[in-house]
Amino acid sequence: MGPTASGKTALAVELVERLPLEIISVDSALIYRGMDIGTAKPDQATLRIAPHRLIDIRDPSESYSAAAFREDALTEMAEITRAGKVPLLVGGTMLYFKALEEGLSDLPEADPGIRSRLEQELGRLGLEALHQRLSCLDPAAGGRIHANDPQRILRALEVIEISGKTLTELQQGSVGHTFPYSVLKLVRAPLERSLLHARIERRFHEMLAQGFEREVRALMRRGDLSPAMPSMRAVGYRQMLSYLLGELSREEMIERGIIATRQLAKRQFTWLRSCRGCHWLDDEGDVIKQALGLISSRFKSFFIPI
């Protein structure tokens, strides 16, 4: 686990080259086909060395949930273990990690009609107004859901309308789920926040040089994608869409894209600090050596390097 641009994929590939592992992606943006540059999706050379499961499994017009991820990930993990290997889950979508290990509340299925109306209200009233509405109806959810997180705000309001109960009530009344695996949690993150910020800025400019704008223009030409869709709200894509729609200048798009990525990293750090049982790797030291040491110590009875 780790914040965006922290080097998780590079470490995972090194581990796969040394141990009987198979990677499962834990990333809510890598699931989408045709969204490669802006998501920093591993290139084909990397995927030949270390194939990733659960990437390119959805069209950008489709939605995907933490519950769907949990089901898909458990299926893939069972398949990997049957083949005599060990699942290596890699990514930065912290809700997916939480859902996998702890399970999710039994929430109602999405209602396309209600969701469409809420999205129209989002466009008409703005995100702040909807977040305030949620805070009045469900103060606990309003407090823990970030005011700039439209997907979770809309989902919480949708749950209230469908069920007549708040998201908090339903989550508190949910039944626990079992997770049939022993887990070793490794976190890769630079100690200096300024170093991560520099990596984020450098990577965003690299994406632009690789053709990020061309990628998003191609998605727009499809004609079936809107800025309100989860895929198009991904960090970087949202800002690039605003630029291509004439709402931002190119300089504003770059600045906001970098700031939004830094804010994502901050949220990831906050979650990781509250996550129990994590082993933080010293990014200034030999990261692969640290990781291998922790793995061999934890699983020495049966985990043999290849």
Side-chain angles (χ1 to χ4, degrees):
M1 301 181 287
T4 185
S6 62
K8 299 183 296 295
T9 298
L11 174 59
V13 171
E14 287 195 73
L15 289 173
V16 165
E17 291 179 309
R18 290 167 169 81
L19 299 168
L21 302 165
E22 284 199 38
I23 293 175
I24 297 175
S25 171
V26 187
D27 190 297
S28 60
L30 293 187
I31 63 167
Y32 292 115
R33 294 184 289 272
M35 293 175 59
D36 303 328
I37 298 172
T39 61
K41 190 175 291 179
D43 59 26
Q44 290 303 311
T46 300
L47 292 175
R48 281 193 292 272
I49 298 169
H52 285 49
R53 299 185 183 222
L54 300 190
I55 67 171
D56 294 331
I57 60 170
R58 288 291 188 279
D59 184 82
S61 63
E62 299 175 309
S63 60
Y64 193 67
S65 66
F69 166 79
R70 188 177 198 274
E71 182 177 349
D72 289 342
L74 287 172
T75 299
E76 299 291 350
M77 292 171 77
E79 189 174 301
I80 291 169
T81 54
R82 280 197 299 270
K85 292 191 175 184
V86 177
L88 174 59
L89 293 114
V90 184
T93 301
M94 304 310 173
L95 177 62
Y96 285 8
F97 281 116
K98 180 179 175 65
L100 180 62
E101 187 176 11
E102 300 178 12
L104 286 165
S105 308
D106 296 321
L107 300 179
E109 292 291 324
D111 184 305
I114 292 175
R115 177 54 66 94
S116 177
R117 178 171 54 73
L118 287 170
E119 288 177 348
Q120 291 173 11
E121 290 182 20
L122 173 62
R124 189 174 70 255
L125 302 175
L127 187 57
E128 183 179 355
L130 292 191
H131 187 259
Q132 289 176 351
R133 182 191 302 174
L134 175 61
S135 297
C136 290
L137 295 172
D138 186 353
R144 68 176 178 268
I145 295 176
H146 196 278
N148 292 326
D149 190 340
Q151 186 169 357
R152 295 182 67 199
I153 291 171
L154 290 179
R155 176 56 176 158
L157 290 172
E158 178 186 51
V159 165
I160 292 171
E161 292 203 28
I162 295 172
S163 68
K165 296 183 178 180
T166 66
L167 185 64
T168 301
E169 288 175 314
L170 291 173
Q171 289 174 334
Q172 289 174 344
S174 64
V175 178
H177 297 258
T178 58
F179 184 59
Y181 293 88
S182 176
V183 180
L184 176 63
K185 301 177 184 178
L186 303 178
V187 177
R188 183 169 194 182
L191 297 176
E192 293 293 331
R193 193 70 61 89
S194 60
L195 177 60
L196 183 64
H197 287 178
R199 289 182 187 175
I200 287 171
E201 183 170 353
R202 182 170 63 251
R203 190 174 74 173
F204 196 86
H205 284 286
E206 289 172 353
M207 289 175 176
L208 292 172
Q210 292 165 5
F212 183 32
E213 179 178 337
R214 183 171 62 251
E215 178 176 271
V216 180
R217 285 188 183 276
L219 292 168
M220 289 180 66
R221 283 197 295 271
R222 291 177 32 152
D224 62 341
L225 302 177
S226 74
M229 291 179 171
S231 60
M232 295 296 98
R233 290 202 298 266
V235 169
Y237 287 85
R238 184 167 65 249
Q239 291 76 26
M240 180 61 79
L241 271 175
S242 294
Y243 162 62
L244 296 178
L245 293 171
E247 299 168 356
L248 298 175
S249 67
R250 182 174 177 80
E251 292 73 21
E252 289 171 330
M253 175 271 293
I254 294 172
E255 179 183 9
R256 294 192 187 186
I258 292 170
I259 290 173
T261 310
R262 289 178 179 174
Q263 291 171 336
L264 169 62
K266 182 179 179 180
R267 294 194 296 272
Q268 291 168 321
F269 264 113
T270 299
W271 188 91
L272 286 164
R273 288 196 186 96
S274 68
C275 182
R276 298 185 303 274
C278 290
H279 298 269
W280 290 69
L281 304 175
D282 179 2
D283 208 50
E284 295 181 358
D286 189 332
V287 175
I288 185 65
K289 185 177 180 179
Q290 295 170 60
L292 289 170
L294 287 163
I295 292 169
S296 62
S297 176
R298 176 70 176 275
F299 300 112
K300 56 187 175 184
S301 62
F302 64 93
F303 203 50
I304 304 171
I306 58 176

